[in-house]
Amino acid sequence: MHCHLSHKIAFHHFFSINNSSTNIFVQILLCMRFHFYGKTILILMLMFLTTGINLYSQYNNAPVIANDTCKTIDNYLSQLEKEKNFSGGLLIIKNGKKIFSKGYGWADKENKIPFTSTTLASMGSITKAFTAAAIMKLVEENKLSLNDPIKKFFPYAPADKANVTIHQLLTHSSGFHEFLQNDGGDYEVIDSDAFIKRAFTEPLAFTPGEKAVYTNVGMSILGIIIEQVSGLDYEAFLQQKLFAPACIKNIGYHVAHNAGEVIAHGYQNGKDWGTIPAHIAAAGNQPYWNLKANGGLEISLDDMFLWANAITNNTVLNKASTDKMFTPQILEEGYNDYFGYGCNIGKTRRNTKLIDNGGSNGIYFARLIRLPDEGLVFYLITNESSINANMVLPNVTQLYFTGQIAQDATQMQHQFEDPMSKMIYEIVLKPETKDLKEALAKENITVNDDLILLDVGQKLIEEKNTDKALILYKYYTY
């Protein structure tokens, strides 16, 4: 399993809705690896109607719902919570002010702990934005340059990789693959030396600088460089250099979390998957490099509010650094938007700027959307996979801009973007397919793009076909 940016959901279509919203065209392409566990379990407890509601009021720390538009959104999410098991939290910032902040559903169903604005939950590959900010801090401190080649930090780098620059790592134009070949998933015990050795041994996907294709490996290499240059652990660097100046205390991997902290459990169609910190602890009691610096950080709505404003107000980085991060750098291969540093950058239909981050491990889903021209920030996190942030945030933004949902993203039929995805989907569905690797070999099919598998996985999850989803999951995880 991996955290992944899931950046190719066409949110600009939703954020740009105007009075001609009937012309909305929506594409949802989920770029993420998935967990597939168990069958759907729907448990409606009478206890929720009594003690559950009281607990909800106790834990939900002063929800912020600032105006009638926000009340409309709250009514929608409350209905979604009751009817479709929506669980998570929404934050909306307007011109630096918190106009919406509220949790829904459960952080921990078993112990009846509601999801609130202080609940910690994994933001997945939004972690990459923090890695980019950390690199820019080191640039400000004159400890490295964006044009530095990686041979400066790894003198033994092979010739094909020696001149890959920090800039190319930040913009996914380095040529490193999305994942290491045959990796053991997010929780594989792999230290920095072993990770770099494997990354350097494997061939590049393309010549550095030739194009830009999303990569987790490149971001993890940046994390290793941060540790090498600063002399601090990645997480400690974030705490000291980025979070402390903004009075942020609780963003992190939280393997050894403090008493009183509530970390949201993830739920796969109602089944408790546990928490990322628990999975990390079970693997080796610390995050390793298939995950570290590219995904997995835990954050609350309250701390995301502080972080978003710290970036907007240049509290942790100067304006030049922030402007550089949010400047379109290179067109993403196959799409119409650009990579900045640790983010995607596009335009809305109103021709306003859209800065997009997202992430998921298939259980937790998160989106962070900045609309700087309009003074807006949206952050939505969900911990129930069946009704996730990628489905819900487009509806929230429609309500925000128009007061109505013209096209319900939670009801949309999944469409394959690549003919190969449809082919693999059909192979997986065959009754005789028990081992996808063998089935693909019989058809002489080679899959070189994880996004194809992820596309198939999303459709299987939407169809609640967990048996076939598990076959797919085993194929690209083991």
Side-chain angles (χ1 to χ4, degrees), residues 9-18 21 24-28 347-350 354 369 371 374 378 389-402 404-410 412:
I9 297 159
F11 277 98
H12 53 284
H13 295 295
F14 291 98
F15 280 105
S16 58
I17 293 170
N18 51 35
S21 58
I24 299 168
F25 171 74
V26 184
Q27 280 186 308
I28 295 183
K347 290 282 188 180
T348 68
R349 285 184 178 179
R350 295 187 305 278
L354 170 66
I369 306 295
L371 298 170
E374 296 161 279
F378 291 82
N390 294 335
M391 302 174 182
V392 177
L393 187 55
N395 290 355
V396 168
T397 58
Q398 289 180 76
L399 288 172
Y400 185 88
F401 288 114
T402 71
Q404 63 180 343
I405 298 173
Q407 188 165 358
D408 189 347
T410 68
M412 292 179 63

Coordinates of all heavy atoms in Angstrom, one line a residue, residues 9-18 21 24-28 347-350 354 369 371 374 378 389-402 404-410 412:
I9 N -8.1 14.7 -9.9 CA -9.5 14.9 -9.9 C -9.8 16.3 -10.4 O -9.2 17.2 -9.9 CB -10.1 14.6 -8.5 CG1 -9.8 13.2 -8.1 CG2 -11.5 15.0 -8.4 CD1 -9.8 13.0 -6.7
A10 N -10.6 16.4 -11.4 CA -10.7 17.7 -12.1 C -11.5 18.7 -11.3 O -12.6 19.1 -11.6 CB -11.3 17.5 -13.5
F11 N -10.9 19.1 -10.1 CA -11.7 20.0 -9.2 C -11.9 21.4 -9.9 O -12.8 22.1 -9.5 CB -10.9 20.2 -7.9 CG -11.2 19.1 -7.0 CD1 -10.4 18.0 -6.8 CD2 -12.4 19.1 -6.2 CE1 -10.6 17.0 -6.0 CE2 -12.7 18.1 -5.3 CZ -11.8 17.0 -5.2
H12 N -11.0 21.8 -10.8 CA -11.2 23.1 -11.4 C -12.6 23.3 -12.0 O -13.1 24.4 -12.1 CB -10.1 23.5 -12.4 CG -9.9 22.4 -13.5 ND1 -9.3 21.2 -13.2 CD2 -10.3 22.4 -14.8 CE1 -9.2 20.6 -14.4 NE2 -9.8 21.3 -15.3
H13 N -13.2 22.1 -12.5 CA -14.5 22.2 -13.1 C -15.5 22.6 -12.0 O -16.5 23.3 -12.3 CB -14.9 20.9 -13.7 CG -14.0 20.6 -14.9 ND1 -14.0 21.3 -16.0 CD2 -13.1 19.6 -15.1 CE1 -13.1 20.8 -16.9 NE2 -12.6 19.7 -16.3
F14 N -15.3 22.1 -10.8 CA -16.3 22.4 -9.7 C -16.0 23.8 -9.1 O -17.0 24.5 -8.8 CB -16.2 21.3 -8.6 CG -16.7 20.0 -9.1 CD1 -15.8 19.0 -9.5 CD2 -18.0 19.7 -9.1 CE1 -16.2 17.8 -9.9 CE2 -18.5 18.5 -9.5 CZ -17.6 17.5 -9.9
F15 N -14.8 24.1 -8.9 CA -14.5 25.4 -8.3 C -14.9 26.6 -9.2 O -15.0 27.7 -8.7 CB -13.0 25.5 -8.0 CG -12.7 24.8 -6.7 CD1 -12.0 23.6 -6.8 CD2 -13.1 25.3 -5.5 CE1 -11.7 22.9 -5.6 CE2 -12.8 24.6 -4.3 CZ -12.1 23.4 -4.4
S16 N -15.1 26.3 -10.5 CA -15.3 27.4 -11.4 C -16.8 27.5 -11.8 O -17.2 28.2 -12.7 CB -14.5 27.2 -12.7 OG -14.8 26.0 -13.3
I17 N -17.7 26.8 -11.1 CA -19.1 26.7 -11.4 C -19.7 28.1 -11.3 O -19.5 28.9 -10.4 CB -19.8 25.8 -10.5 CG1 -19.4 24.4 -10.7 CG2 -21.3 25.9 -10.6 CD1 -19.9 23.4 -9.7
N18 N -20.5 28.5 -12.3 CA -21.2 29.8 -12.3 C -22.7 29.5 -12.7 O -23.1 28.3 -12.6 CB -20.6 30.8 -13.3 CG -20.4 30.2 -14.7 OD1 -21.2 29.4 -15.1 ND2 -19.3 30.5 -15.3
S21 N -24.0 26.4 -14.8 CA -23.4 25.2 -14.2 C -23.9 23.9 -14.9 O -23.3 22.8 -14.7 CB -23.6 25.1 -12.7 OG -25.0 25.1 -12.5
I24 N -21.3 21.8 -16.7 CA -20.2 21.2 -16.0 C -19.8 19.9 -16.6 O -20.6 19.0 -16.9 CB -20.5 21.0 -14.6 CG1 -20.9 22.3 -13.9 CG2 -19.3 20.4 -13.8 CD1 -21.5 22.1 -12.5
F25 N -18.5 19.8 -16.9 CA -17.9 18.5 -17.3 C -17.0 18.0 -16.2 O -16.1 18.8 -15.8 CB -17.2 18.6 -18.6 CG -16.4 17.3 -19.0 CD1 -17.1 16.2 -19.4 CD2 -15.0 17.3 -18.8 CE1 -16.4 15.1 -19.8 CE2 -14.3 16.2 -19.2 CZ -15.0 15.0 -19.6
V26 N -17.2 16.8 -15.7 CA -16.4 16.4 -14.6 C -15.7 15.1 -14.9 O -16.3 14.2 -15.5 CB -17.3 16.1 -13.4 CG1 -16.5 15.7 -12.2 CG2 -18.1 17.3 -13.0
Q27 N -14.4 15.1 -14.7 CA -13.6 13.9 -14.8 C -13.1 13.5 -13.4 O -12.5 14.4 -12.8 CB -12.4 14.0 -15.7 CG -12.8 13.9 -17.2 CD -11.6 13.9 -18.0 OE1 -10.7 14.8 -17.9 NE2 -11.5 13.0 -18.9
I28 N -13.2 12.3 -13.0 CA -12.6 11.9 -11.7 C -11.7 10.7 -12.0 O -12.1 9.7 -12.4 CB -13.7 11.5 -10.7 CG1 -14.5 12.8 -10.3 CG2 -13.0 11.0 -9.4 CD1 -15.5 12.5 -9.2
K347 N -6.0 26.2 -13.6 CA -6.9 27.4 -13.6 C -8.4 26.9 -13.5 O -8.7 25.8 -14.0 CB -6.7 28.1 -15.0 CG -5.4 28.9 -15.1 CD -5.5 30.2 -14.3 CE -4.2 31.0 -14.6 NZ -4.3 32.3 -13.9
T348 N -9.2 27.7 -12.9 CA -10.6 27.5 -12.9 C -11.2 28.0 -14.2 O -10.6 28.7 -15.0 CB -11.3 28.1 -11.7 OG1 -11.3 29.6 -11.9 CG2 -10.6 27.8 -10.4
R349 N -12.5 27.7 -14.4 CA -13.2 28.3 -15.6 C -13.3 29.8 -15.5 O -13.4 30.5 -16.6 CB -14.6 27.7 -15.7 CG -14.6 26.3 -16.3 CD -16.0 25.8 -16.4 NE -16.0 24.4 -17.0 CZ -17.2 23.8 -17.2 NH1 -18.3 24.4 -17.0 NH2 -17.1 22.6 -17.7
R350 N -13.2 30.3 -14.3 CA -13.2 31.8 -14.2 C -11.9 32.4 -14.4 O -11.6 33.6 -14.1 CB -13.8 32.2 -12.8 CG -15.2 31.8 -12.5 CD -15.7 32.3 -11.2 NE -14.9 31.9 -10.1 CZ -14.9 30.7 -9.5 NH1 -15.8 29.8 -9.9 NH2 -14.2 30.4 -8.5
L354 N -5.7 27.9 -9.3 CA -6.1 26.7 -8.5 C -4.8 26.0 -8.1 O -4.1 25.5 -9.0 CB -7.0 25.8 -9.3 CG -7.3 24.4 -8.7 CD1 -8.1 24.5 -7.4 CD2 -8.1 23.5 -9.7
I369 N -7.2 22.5 -1.2 CA -7.4 23.3 -2.4 C -7.2 24.7 -2.0 O -7.9 25.2 -1.1 CB -8.8 23.1 -3.0 CG1 -9.1 21.6 -3.3 CG2 -9.0 23.9 -4.3 CD1 -8.2 21.0 -4.4
L371 N -7.4 28.7 -3.5 CA -7.8 29.6 -4.6 C -7.4 31.0 -4.2 O -8.1 31.8 -3.7 CB -9.4 29.5 -4.7 CG -9.9 28.2 -5.1 CD1 -11.5 28.2 -5.0 CD2 -9.5 27.8 -6.5
E374 N -9.2 34.2 -5.0 CA -10.4 34.4 -4.3 C -10.3 34.4 -2.8 O -11.4 34.4 -2.1 CB -11.4 33.4 -4.8 CG -11.7 33.5 -6.3 CD -12.3 32.2 -6.9 OE1 -11.5 31.3 -7.2 OE2 -13.5 32.2 -7.1
F378 N -9.9 25.3 0.9 CA -10.8 24.2 1.3 C -9.9 23.0 1.7 O -8.9 22.7 1.0 CB -11.7 23.8 0.1 CG -12.7 24.8 -0.3 CD1 -12.4 25.8 -1.1 CD2 -14.0 24.6 0.2 CE1 -13.4 26.7 -1.5 CE2 -15.0 25.5 -0.2 CZ -14.7 26.6 -1.1
A389 N -13.4 11.9 0.4 CA -13.2 13.4 0.1 C -13.3 13.6 -1.4 O -13.8 14.7 -1.8 CB -11.9 13.8 0.6
N390 N -12.8 12.7 -2.3 CA -12.8 12.9 -3.7 C -14.3 13.0 -4.2 O -14.5 13.6 -5.3 CB -12.0 11.9 -4.4 CG -10.5 11.9 -4.1 OD1 -10.1 13.0 -3.7 ND2 -9.8 10.8 -4.1
M391 N -15.2 12.3 -3.6 CA -16.6 12.3 -4.0 C -17.3 13.5 -3.4 O -18.2 14.1 -4.0 CB -17.3 11.1 -3.4 CG -16.7 9.7 -3.9 SD -17.5 8.4 -3.0 CE -16.7 7.0 -3.6
V392 N -16.9 14.0 -2.2 CA -17.7 14.9 -1.4 C -17.3 16.4 -1.7 O -18.1 17.3 -1.8 CB -17.6 14.6 0.1 CG1 -18.4 15.7 0.9 CG2 -18.2 13.2 0.3
L393 N -16.0 16.6 -1.8 CA -15.5 18.0 -2.0 C -16.1 18.7 -3.2 O -16.4 19.9 -3.1 CB -14.0 18.1 -1.9 CG -13.4 19.5 -1.9 CD1 -14.0 20.3 -0.7 CD2 -11.9 19.5 -1.8
P394 N -16.2 18.0 -4.3 CA -16.8 18.7 -5.5 C -18.2 19.2 -5.2 O -18.6 20.3 -5.6 CB -16.8 17.6 -6.6 CG -15.7 16.8 -6.2 CD -15.7 16.7 -4.7
N395 N -19.0 18.4 -4.4 CA -20.3 18.8 -4.0 C -20.3 20.0 -3.1 O -21.1 20.9 -3.2 CB -21.1 17.7 -3.4 CG -21.4 16.6 -4.4 OD1 -21.2 16.8 -5.6 ND2 -22.0 15.5 -4.0
V396 N -19.3 20.0 -2.1 CA -19.2 21.1 -1.2 C -18.9 22.4 -1.9 O -19.5 23.5 -1.6 CB -18.1 20.8 -0.2 CG1 -17.7 22.0 0.6 CG2 -18.5 19.7 0.8
T397 N -18.0 22.3 -2.9 CA -17.7 23.6 -3.6 C -18.8 24.1 -4.5 O -19.0 25.3 -4.7 CB -16.4 23.4 -4.5 OG1 -16.6 22.3 -5.4 CG2 -15.2 23.0 -3.5
Q398 N -19.6 23.1 -5.1 CA -20.8 23.6 -5.8 C -21.7 24.3 -4.9 O -22.3 25.4 -5.3 CB -21.5 22.4 -6.4 CG -20.7 21.7 -7.6 CD -21.5 20.5 -8.2 OE1 -22.4 20.7 -8.9 NE2 -21.0 19.3 -7.8
L399 N -21.9 23.8 -3.7 CA -22.8 24.5 -2.7 C -22.2 25.8 -2.4 O -23.0 26.8 -2.2 CB -23.0 23.6 -1.5 CG -23.8 22.4 -1.7 CD1 -23.8 21.5 -0.4 CD2 -25.3 22.7 -2.0
Y400 N -20.9 25.9 -2.2 CA -20.3 27.2 -1.8 C -20.5 28.2 -2.9 O -20.8 29.4 -2.6 CB -18.8 27.0 -1.5 CG -18.2 28.2 -1.0 CD1 -18.2 28.5 0.3 CD2 -17.6 29.2 -1.9 CE1 -17.6 29.7 0.8 CE2 -17.0 30.3 -1.4 CZ -17.0 30.6 -0.1 OH -16.5 31.8 0.4
F401 N -20.3 27.9 -4.2 CA -20.3 28.9 -5.2 C -21.7 29.1 -5.8 O -21.9 30.2 -6.3 CB -19.4 28.4 -6.4 CG -17.9 28.5 -6.0 CD1 -17.1 27.4 -5.9 CD2 -17.3 29.8 -5.8 CE1 -15.8 27.5 -5.6 CE2 -16.0 29.9 -5.4 CZ -15.2 28.8 -5.3
T402 N -22.6 28.2 -5.7 CA -23.9 28.3 -6.4 C -25.1 28.1 -5.5 O -26.2 28.4 -5.8 CB -24.0 27.4 -7.6 OG1 -24.1 26.0 -7.2 CG2 -22.8 27.5 -8.5
Q404 N -26.2 25.1 -4.8 CA -26.9 23.9 -5.2 C -25.9 22.9 -5.8 O -24.8 23.3 -6.2 CB -28.0 24.2 -6.2 CG -27.4 24.8 -7.5 CD -28.5 25.0 -8.5 OE1 -29.6 24.6 -8.4 NE2 -28.2 25.9 -9.5
I405 N -26.3 21.7 -5.8 CA -25.4 20.6 -6.4 C -26.0 20.3 -7.8 O -27.0 19.6 -7.9 CB -25.4 19.4 -5.5 CG1 -24.7 19.7 -4.2 CG2 -24.6 18.3 -6.2 CD1 -24.8 18.6 -3.2
A406 N -25.4 20.8 -8.8 CA -25.9 20.6 -10.2 C -25.5 19.2 -10.7 O -26.2 18.6 -11.5 CB -25.3 21.7 -11.1
Q407 N -24.4 18.7 -10.3 CA -24.0 17.4 -10.7 C -23.3 16.7 -9.4 O -22.3 17.1 -8.9 CB -23.0 17.4 -11.8 CG -22.6 16.1 -12.4 CD -21.9 16.2 -13.7 OE1 -21.7 17.3 -14.3 NE2 -21.6 15.0 -14.3
D408 N -24.0 15.6 -9.0 CA -23.6 15.0 -7.7 C -22.4 14.0 -8.0 O -22.6 13.0 -8.6 CB -24.8 14.2 -7.2 CG -24.5 13.7 -5.8 OD1 -23.4 13.7 -5.3 OD2 -25.5 13.3 -5.1
A409 N -21.3 14.4 -7.5 CA -20.1 13.6 -7.7 C -20.1 12.3 -6.9 O -19.4 11.3 -7.3 CB -18.8 14.4 -7.2
T410 N -21.0 12.2 -5.9 CA -21.1 10.9 -5.2 C -21.9 9.9 -6.0 O -21.9 8.7 -5.7 CB -21.8 11.1 -3.8 OG1 -23.1 11.4 -4.0 CG2 -21.1 12.2 -3.0
M412 N -21.7 9.7 -9.5 CA -21.1 9.5 -10.8 C -20.6 8.1 -11.1 O -20.1 7.5 -10.2 CB -20.0 10.5 -11.0 CG -20.4 11.9 -11.1 SD -19.0 13.0 -11.3 CE -18.5 12.5 -12.9

